[in-house]
Amino acid sequence: MLEWLLALCFVILVVSIWPGSKYFCTENQRDALLQRFGILQQVAKGKTERCVSEREGSDDAQSACVGALTDEKPRTVALICKPSALANYLLKHCWTFSNYSPCVGWTWRASAFLQSVYEACWPYESPVQFVRDNLQLSDDGLVALDWAVPSYQKRRRTSSHSTSPVLLIIPNSFGKITRNVLKLCEMALSHGYLPVVFNRRSHNSCPLTTVKLQQFGDPADLREAVRYIRYRQPAGRLYAVSESSGSGLLLSYLGECGSSSYVTAAVCLSPVFRCQSWFESGLCWPLQWALVLYQKICLSRYRTVMAETLQTDTLFSSHSLHGLEEALFCQPGYPDSTPAAPTGNGCSSNTSVTWDAYWEHNEPLRDVDEVAIPVLSVCSKDDPVRGDAQSTVPLELFETNPHFFLLLTDRGGHCGFSTQSEGNAAGAVGAVGSVAASNRGMESHGINWSHRASLEFFRATTDFFNAEERAKQLASRRRGLGGAAGGRFFRHRSVSTCKRVPACSHNIHAIYSWQRSYTR
């Protein structure tokens, strides 16, 4: 009870300081005060623009920047990437990248801390319903796939012959379905996607049939789920979006599978990159306390069965994310697929593993050089969850790897990205594409800027590679090679197999389904 009272006092203090500080202190004093409370991690000042500079080996200087909308205004968003033809195409065709107007002034949405808490915790009446597939995995564990469908749609199943693209959504690593995920499902449906939410073992009411939980960066379960999605929707392209700490799982999957990931393009919204440091350094105490409490509540229902293999007293007495993760996966007796010997997951059935060894097999960027598809990361400098951008965002990765792109905003919080015109954002959908009249009810809730940028990124990358393929086919015909016989073309799904990915998928099957709604 004492913690709740302190948290309430903290929120009241922030709400009181934010608008009043605009009139009773200078901008520098206000920023220093907010930094003391952990609300503002970094204040972006100055008008330095990060540019896509000249490509190596090119004679002509090719420089493209996402900077200020006008010369008088400082930039609010920058695209950081290695110069390439795809980068130039994105700058030319993705107008959303340079059309971000964050909330400022007398409003609680201008606070990075408040808008982050709002997007994570505030209830949301979503018009979207979900049809669940529980998938039995090769070790008899269960994961859940929730397919989003509009509430007005009578038919709850999509034909396997549908050519609509599939949008795989990976929530945060704690299993919390946030407003951000629900609003993304709405917007994806209005743009013709088939959204499906991946739920890990025991997350979001998914039954836990084994004592083994999914480690932070272990993509084995996701790999089997993706093969099932490809089996169910073989004609549609597959795209992926991850939220917050769930980006660790997506990056691990893309790195392990490489060109055999079956994913056309991916987006990470407010990702946590250096996860070991993030667990060790911790968050400001209200956020850390809330996340630890939420995870303990979710695990408490399995306390009896987990006591057979884990020291539950140590687990439930932990007061930090570091202690909780270490108690779950670094204790002697943690179950794994290969007994008495360390495996790719980092743990064995009869020996404990050190904290550093655990992260050697779970750090999201361990196989980042193997990623073979375009990946967009959307981050803000004032993210109160990830921390300071200079120390937590690997800028060198985006500047040297042609597959990674970073949209770095001055403001936006953690999965917030509130805009000045958020209440009237429904009209912006018409500029992207036509929407059926039956979907207009969903658009009235407002559209998140990061969601528009994500879907526009998917469209632009697909159009770019389609144009590249057509150009190669035309060049082959001119050379008399007969069209597709010449050259290697971009494929949206690979026909090769990865050493770590079995080609067969007979061990995956849905065992039951039901309709489910996430309305709050």
Side-chain angles (χ1 to χ4, degrees), residues 321-457:
L321 294 175
H322 179 182
L324 199 62
E325 190 79 5
E326 189 173 15
L328 274 175
F329 301 108
C330 298
Q331 290 186 19
Y334 177 77
D336 202 4
S337 57
T338 304
T343 65
N345 294 333
C347 294
S348 63
S349 60
N350 56 5
T351 59
S352 61
V353 65
T354 63
W355 177 250
D356 292 334
Y358 171 78
W359 283 108
E360 286 181 4
H361 299 278
N362 288 275
E363 190 68 40
L365 301 181
R366 62 188 184 275
D367 295 321
V368 68
D369 293 336
E370 302 297 328
V371 176
I373 65 169
V375 179
L376 174 68
S377 298
V378 185
C379 303
S380 65
K381 294 181 179 179
D382 62 350
D383 192 328
V385 176
R386 188 200 63 246
D388 178 61
Q390 292 183 351
S391 59
T392 58
V393 179
L395 297 179
E396 65 280 358
L397 170 65
F398 300 96
E399 294 171 347
T400 58
N401 194 315
H403 293 107
F404 283 84
F405 303 85
L406 172 64
L407 280 180
L408 186 61
T409 65
D410 291 340
R411 298 176 179 270
H414 188 76
C415 298
F417 302 102
S418 298
T419 59
Q420 296 282 11
S421 59
E422 187 173 357
N424 300 324
V429 179
V432 180
S434 59
V435 181
S438 55
N439 292 340
R440 292 174 183 172
M442 293 191 297
E443 297 168 7
S444 60
H445 295 273
I447 299 176
N448 192 295
W449 172 84
S450 61
H451 299 166
R452 291 204 307 268
S454 300
L455 298 186
E456 199 169 56
F457 173 75

Side-chain angles (χ1 to χ4, degrees), residues 63 71 78 126 146 185 211 218 330 369 440 456 504 508 512-513:
S63 174
D71 294 337
S126 174
D146 292 334
C185 290
V211 291
D218 179 15
C330 298
D369 293 336
R440 292 174 183 172
E456 199 169 56
C504 60
I508 305 175
Y512 55 94
S513 306

Side-chain angles (χ1 to χ4, degrees), residues 39 65 70 84 91 107 119 121 141 209 238 242 249 258 288 309 358 375 394 397 415 431 471-472 496 509:
I39 300 174
C65 298
T70 63
S84 63
L91 288 170
T107 172
E119 290 295 334
C121 303
T209 58
L238 178 61
S242 59
L249 179 59
Q288 179 139 203
T309 56
Y358 171 78
V375 179
L397 170 65
C415 298
K472 290 182 179 180
S496 61
H509 56 280

Side-chain angles (χ1 to χ4, degrees), residues 85-354:
L86 177 58
N88 294 332
Y89 189 89
L90 293 176
L91 288 170
K92 182 178 180 180
H93 294 86
C94 294
W95 65 272
T96 306
F97 288 6
S98 59
N99 189 26
Y100 176 53
S101 300
C103 293
V104 295
W106 189 289
T107 172
W108 64 268
R109 288 186 179 274
S111 168
F113 180 84
L114 294 181
Q115 67 172 309
S116 301
V117 173
Y118 175 77
E119 290 295 334
C121 303
W122 198 259
Y124 182 65
E125 295 295 333
S126 174
V128 175
Q129 295 181 347
F130 293 85
V131 177
R132 168 163 291 189
D133 284 348
N134 280 315
L135 307 181
Q136 184 176 9
L137 306 176
S138 56
D139 64 348
D140 295 331
L142 287 182
V143 296
L145 293 175
D146 292 334
W147 298 83
V149 293
S151 57
Y152 59 82
Q153 181 175 320
K154 296 182 179 180
R155 185 174 181 177
R156 299 304 176 187
R157 286 291 173 182
T158 304
S159 171
S160 60
H161 300 288
S162 173
T163 58
S164 299
V166 179
L167 181 61
L168 175 62
I169 302 175
I170 302 176
N172 55 71
S173 61
F174 305 99
K176 171 69 175 176
I177 302 299
T178 61
R179 293 171 55 94
N180 186 60
V181 171
L182 296 175
K183 292 168 70 174
L184 178 59
C185 290
E186 292 182 25
M187 187 173 183
L189 280 173
S190 67
H191 284 74
Y193 289 82
L194 299 178
V196 54
V197 180
F198 173 79
N199 299 287
R200 310 188 195 202
R201 307 182 189 212
S202 79
H203 283 185
N204 195 24
S205 301
C206 178
L208 182 64
T209 58
T210 62
V211 291
K212 175 185 175 181
L213 297 173
Q214 184 175 356
Q215 298 182 20
F216 185 88
D218 179 15
D221 294 351
L222 179 61
R223 198 160 51 220
E224 297 191 45
V226 168
R227 289 204 302 269
Y228 169 75
I229 294 175
R230 297 306 305 164
Y231 168 78
R232 176 170 167 177
Q233 299 291 336
R237 298 189 183 99
L238 178 61
Y239 303 90
V241 174
S242 59
E243 176 197 44
S244 185
S245 55
S247 299
L249 179 59
L250 177 59
L251 292 174
S252 297
Y253 170 77
L254 296 177
E256 278 205 8
C257 296
S259 59
S260 300
S261 64
Y262 298 101
V263 180
T264 301
V267 172
C268 299
L269 302 177
S270 297
V272 179
F273 293 103
R274 297 183 171 98
C275 296
Q276 181 179 1
S277 300
W278 185 72
F279 273 88
E280 292 173 350
S281 60
L283 308 169
C284 58
W285 71 264
L287 294 177
Q288 179 139 203
W289 174 81
L291 289 176
V292 171
L293 178 61
Y294 179 80
Q295 201 164 7
K296 286 182 179 180
I297 293 175
C298 295
L299 294 173
S300 61
R301 59 185 302 187
Y302 306 111
R303 182 167 188 165
T304 302
V305 65
M306 293 175 64
E308 301 176 359
T309 56
L310 298 177
Q311 299 176 7
T312 54
D313 293 339
T314 304
L315 175 64
F316 289 97
S317 62
S318 302
H319 299 288
S320 65
L321 294 175
H322 179 182
L324 199 62
E325 190 79 5
E326 189 173 15
L328 274 175
F329 301 108
C330 298
Q331 290 186 19
Y334 177 77
D336 202 4
S337 57
T338 304
T343 65
N345 294 333
C347 294
S348 63
S349 60
N350 56 5
T351 59
S352 61
V353 65
T354 63

